[in-house]
Amino acid sequence: MPVQQSESNQQGVPLVAHRLPRHIAIIMDGNGRWAQQRGLDRTIGHREGVKALKPIVKEATRLGIEVLTVYAFSTENWRRPSSEIDVLMGLLVEFLASETPELKAEGVRIRTIGDTARLPSAAQQSLAWAKQETSSQKRLILNLALNYGARDEILRAVNRWHAGAHGEGEPLTESALSQHLDTAGLPDPDLLIRSSGEFRISNFLLWQLAYAEIYISEKLWPDFDPAEFHRALQDYQTRHRRFGGLG
Ligand code: FPP
């Protein structure tokens, strides 16, 4: 069944509803370059990056995508100047304060992955509020990766498993590890989108992306719009997913 196209993409090939990804992960890259190309401070690029996220969440919700995981701050991003980190944390607080009511009204539940206990307390408080506010929403999970690194997540999961109840000498299994990851209970991403033309995973969802299809967009994140989102989905629908089998 074709899905109705968004106005920004009326020329596109119709999407097939039953072949849409359940879970889309996005590396929102290129904010800094977008600003630098315009002679602006990098932080303006991040501000524009937040603005670009909103219509993508809206479109994902409209299409019936179940989970959208976005890489908002990595464990490696602490290496940036503190002035840039402060802006990013401030943007997160602003985003949650201004967008949570509308996200809630649209059926979006906010969740996080990553070690959020190490975020500034204002960010932690905003996140706790936004998660609580949206906790009963069921259309889309907007999963914010914050102080997230896949190696850190896997180590925390293994340590949690070790600390938990299991038999003496019992080996750790794939399913036990999955259940101890920050993404426990979520389907693995079917599609990974990275903007800004870079072909890298950057310590994002290393375990969960095992069989994800990858779409690299040449657009810098602030220019990533619903039309480009549709191009990624159209491209995804041409893929033959075999999961290591013969299809
Ligand atoms: C990569 O661009 C982007 C980030 C490190 C942060 C992504 C964050 C946002 C889009 C905004 C925050 C999100 C929320 C939900 C409030 P870059 O700075 O590495 O760009 P560059 O590679 O061009 O330097």
Side-chain angles (χ1 to χ4, degrees):
M1 192 210 326
V3 163
Q4 196 191 348
Q5 296 291 291
S6 68
E7 282 181 24
S8 54
N9 191 39
Q10 283 168 346
Q11 308 305 315
V13 180
L15 295 170
V16 181
H18 70 270
R19 297 197 57 218
L20 284 168
R22 292 180 67 193
H23 183 171
I24 301 175
I26 307 185
I27 302 178
M28 308 180 288
D29 194 17
N31 295 343
R33 273 164 287 166
W34 184 94
Q36 281 159 347
Q37 283 174 5
R38 289 161 179 77
L40 302 168
D41 192 79
R42 293 175 52 80
T43 55
I44 309 282
H46 293 313
R47 188 166 284 280
E48 292 301 312
V50 179
K51 282 193 205 159
L53 179 58
K54 197 177 158 183
I56 302 304
V57 176
K58 220 178 164 81
E59 187 59 4
T61 309
R62 191 186 74 86
L63 288 169
I65 306 297
E66 291 172 45
V67 188
L68 186 66
T69 298
V70 295
Y71 210 177
F73 193 86
S74 76
T75 45
E76 287 70 38
N77 285 152
W78 296 109
R79 296 177 190 151
R80 296 189 177 202
S82 59
S83 53
E84 184 170 336
I85 295 172
D86 290 349
V87 168
L88 281 166
M89 294 301 153
L91 285 171
L92 172 65
V93 172
E94 263 181 51
F95 171 82
L96 294 169
S98 65
E99 302 305 327
T100 298
E102 194 177 325
L103 291 171
K104 180 179 177 182
E106 288 179 357
V108 176
R109 176 175 182 186
I110 296 173
R111 279 185 56 165
T112 57
I113 54 171
D115 189 0
T116 53
R118 290 201 46 226
L119 296 176
S121 61
Q124 289 189 48
Q125 281 167 24
S126 299
L127 284 165
W129 170 75
K131 285 184 192 182
Q132 177 56 37
E133 273 293 294
T134 61
S135 59
S136 52
Q137 301 310 315
K138 298 218 165 4
R139 275 182 86 187
L140 173 93
I141 291 173
L142 173 60
N143 199 19
L144 303 172
L146 290 161
N147 189 27
Y148 177 86
R151 290 182 171 185
D152 175 68
E153 179 196 29
I154 292 167
L155 279 178
R156 286 187 289 103
V158 170
N159 286 325
R160 272 203 292 265
W161 179 81
H162 267 296
H166 54 270
E168 177 78 22
E170 183 187 326
L172 176 58
T173 60
E174 278 196 20
S175 100
L177 180 56
S178 295
Q179 284 160 26
H180 286 77
L181 291 170
D182 298 347
T183 50
L186 301 178
D188 284 344
D190 305 291
L191 172 65
L192 170 70
I193 299 174
R194 181 167 188 148
S195 58
S196 90
E198 303 280 356
F199 287 69
R200 271 195 301 279
I201 303 259
S202 299
N203 200 14
F204 193 39
L205 300 170
L206 296 180
W207 176 272
Q208 299 88 335
L209 289 172
Y211 284 102
E213 300 296 325
I214 301 179
Y215 181 85
I216 305 295
S217 167
E218 287 303 318
K219 287 190 182 284
L220 301 176
W221 178 254
D223 293 327
F224 193 95
D225 58 13
E228 181 67 356
F229 188 51
H230 270 249
R231 280 189 278 278
L233 292 169
Q234 285 155 6
D235 189 73
Y236 170 82
Q237 297 201 324
T238 67
R239 308 284 179 92
H240 298 285
R241 304 188 72 197
R242 293 187 294 277
F243 299 93
L246 297 179

